[in-house]
Amino acid sequence: MSELFDAVDALLASRATLPPPAERKRLRAAHGLTIDEVATALKVRRATVSGWENGKTEPRPPERDAYARLLDKLAELYPAAPADTATPAPDAAAPTTFTATPAPAEARTLSMGEASEAADTTPAENTQTPARTPVAAAPAATTRPARTTRTSPTSRRRGVKKAAPAGAPAGGADPRFENGPLAVVDVEDGQVLAYCIGGPVLDVPAKSIPALVDWTLREAKLGQPKLAGPGKDADPLIVLTEAALERYGLPVTLTEEEKHAGRIPESHRVIKQLVRADWKLTKRGFGPWARIYRPATGSERACVQLCIPSWNALDTRHWGQAGQLPPAELARVLGVYASRVMTPRGSTAVTGLELMTALHPPTRASEADADGKRHSEHNPGSLGKDAIDPMNWPPCEVPDGHPVLKDLPRFHVRGPAEKLFEEAYDWARPMTDAECTLRHLVGIDVNMAFAAGANGLNIGLGEATHVTAPVFDPKLPGSWLVDLSHVDLSRVKAGKEWVELDGSLLPSPFTPKGERPEGPAWYATPTVAYAQELGYEVRPIEAWVRYDNGRYLDAWYTRLRDAYLATMADLGVDAGLAPADFLTAMDGYKDRDPELAIVTSAIKATVKGGLGKLRERPRGEGWKPGEPWRAMYRPTWRPDIRAAVISRTRINLHRKIVKHASFTGQYPIAILSDCVVYASNGPSPLDFLPYREGKPLPGGFKLGINPGLVKHEGTQDVLWGEGVRERFNAPELNLARYIKDGTVTDVDNGE
């Protein structure tokens, strides 16, 4: 009889009544549950639960019974408000869900007057902008959170329990920045709305850009606390959608002339409005990343940053399709980045550079003087507030066209003995006969290689001192003129032991192209130190060294590393995974949450772009060779730091290659920056990496998500590699450039 009862229960469960998809989402979020937690409990994939919540699929037995039971219990705890059942509204698209609580039956609408454009911009501590509370209802084809009657400022957050979507940071704990670091401003049904991270949607009364700036500073409660003690709080960021641009009289897209200039003309009526309201723009004008400010009074700042995606503020190379996302989803992507890295200050490259300064502010408050007053003084460990005088730079460290090189002949090409040339690898060699008998070419890629190269690196903080015939000091940052042509890779030290290698199959660690040096050349400290590490004597001819030095980039590395690891963990790739589990987790990780995948791409671009900005070249503006350019007048214009990081990154990779070769007899076929290609009998990195009982070769390559560890970049057939090289008549074509998907679009020109 019990079997019959079980069969009847199963039959009833197969037809269990479920609430509408939007209500399912509301109930889950009301209890603070993430999609991942529900999926784990029901032993299904995350995408399955997401499909149940957006109405694309329906659960089937046996999961349907368990899912229905969960929803029934949640419905008892969080009953729907009368308004929910009487007037259903469209629900928000996953994954930017947040919970709604029953609104008062007669919630009054707050009338808000537009703030004066020329009024004081100090944020008021006792004002509160009303937020719209979303209401769960039947599914509808919309991508924006639903809204109900606005509540008064005093009742807006009372009893509200928001569950932020996975990976979306909640508003800051600082009451000044209650609504987080940024908002995406959009127009819907004639109403201007500001979508904040974690869920809140604010009404925006402003009818012009000056009024929007004033509202942001007075009432929006947007911003981010400073990252370091002597630093400054981050200015609020407002992202304008195309609809918002139209509302405020700005062009949806820029003309070709405006794109080239990077701004709209000074004669535009919006800029005239700002001028009349006593607002100012920075030198880069009103462009994709405009900064609108008034001069600071005391410690109070009055500055708002604008981000305009349709003007290409979010470069698709780094931000993917973020600029095409609906407002709530875009707020989530930028919010995760802001909370884990910093509020964007421009491109990822600009933000990477600004992050260095935010973590090491140039000045700090001094001790009180006799009158009890404090003054601004240099902050030890920072780069200071003044740039290095352009004429005080070592000639070997500066790029072509620099003022210190203005006396060189017009068409003079500097060689290795005149120019510091520390760049990433671009090297390849023909395959040996033995390698051609193997079946696969497997590429492995170093995670955040340049960030790892910056970690623990001692760099110069001030100007360089010229020294003749110095004794090399591996702890002293600088540039050294030294002959390393005597270093023979056929016999080197790997650790404490001398090992015999086939030097013809290895790239030189001293040049980007892997060619053996032919005489004296300029190198950064990590490169010269590696020559000593390999067991060879070095005798510098001269050097430019920096006695004022420190580990300036450590905090920068830590911040970016933590941001990357946290976001990858949200995507299901944890730092402690076993090698095989790691490879499985990395397979298709971007599809688990495409929005968070955008954040990982932006974080990596912040690393590379920030380091690249250290040697920013002229950007038009009528510059002529021999003249200084704008970037040179900031303290963070430091080509020597960039060179040191690249040097250390290249050396770290070569050290692993040597260790791997000495233990396995395997040599790389191609290297491009942080990607290395090996020939292997199997298609997986585990088919050639020497793991023993789950442990990697000490000092060699290790699979994992941490910076400096490696992941699988791609696998192609050996026949593919030989075929490509034969087709382009290029026996040394760099296959690392194409190993990911096997697509070769043109002859490798090294660019």
Side-chain angles (χ1 to χ4, degrees), residues 425 489 507-509 530 650-658:
Y425 266 130
L489 296 181
S508 168
Y530 186 59
R650 193 182 67 246
I651 294 308
N652 285 347
L653 183 59
H654 195 275
R655 184 182 292 112
K656 289 180 171 63
I657 289 171
V658 167

Side-chain angles (χ1 to χ4, degrees), residues 102-297:
E106 298 180 355
R108 67 181 180 90
T109 301
L110 179 69
S111 175
M112 299 183 64
E114 181 175 351
S116 170
E117 295 180 4
D120 180 25
T121 58
T122 303
E125 293 296 333
N126 59 349
T127 58
Q128 180 68 54
T129 302
R132 294 173 176 263
T133 306
V135 178
T142 180
T143 59
R144 293 171 181 165
R147 308 187 309 280
T148 62
T149 304
R150 284 163 281 175
T151 59
S152 68
T154 55
S155 65
R156 155 178 188 257
R157 294 183 182 275
R158 185 173 299 161
V160 176
K161 179 184 178 184
K162 292 192 210 52
D174 192 321
R176 297 174 301 157
F177 311 128
E178 183 177 343
N179 292 315
L182 57 90
V184 179
V185 174
D186 190 34
V187 180
E188 185 176 332
D189 300 328
Q191 175 64 50
V192 183
L193 306 172
Y195 291 79
C196 304
I197 64 174
V201 184
L202 311 179
D203 287 322
V204 182
K207 297 179 181 179
S208 67
I209 289 295
L212 176 64
V213 174
D214 191 68
W215 170 84
T216 301
L217 293 170
R218 282 176 168 271
E219 303 180 47
K221 292 200 171 185
L222 295 172
Q224 189 176 35
K226 58 188 178 183
L227 297 180
K232 299 176 181 177
D233 297 329
D235 299 317
L237 174 65
I238 295 293
V239 185
L240 297 177
T241 66
E242 293 183 10
L245 292 173
E246 292 179 344
R247 177 63 171 262
Y248 290 121
L250 290 165
V252 172
T253 58
L254 299 179
T255 65
E256 287 300 320
E257 183 179 355
E258 290 168 344
K259 288 179 182 177
H260 182 72
R263 66 185 74 189
I264 58 176
E266 299 294 323
S267 59
H268 195 281
R269 68 183 184 91
V270 170
I271 296 182
K272 292 180 179 179
Q273 290 174 357
L274 290 168
V275 172
R276 286 196 298 270
D278 294 326
W279 290 107
K280 298 180 181 296
L281 292 165
T282 57
K283 289 184 179 180
R284 60 183 176 185
F286 202 122
W289 290 94
R291 295 189 70 79
I292 303 172
Y293 73 98
R294 286 185 180 133
T297 56

Side-chain angles (χ1 to χ4, degrees), residues 688-713:
F688 71 91
L689 293 182
Y691 273 83
R692 296 291 184 271
E693 298 180 355
K695 295 183 179 180
L697 173 68
F701 295 107
K702 178 181 179 181
L703 288 166
I705 198 59
N706 277 289
L709 306 188
V710 299
K711 61 179 181 294
H712 184 203
E713 178 69 5

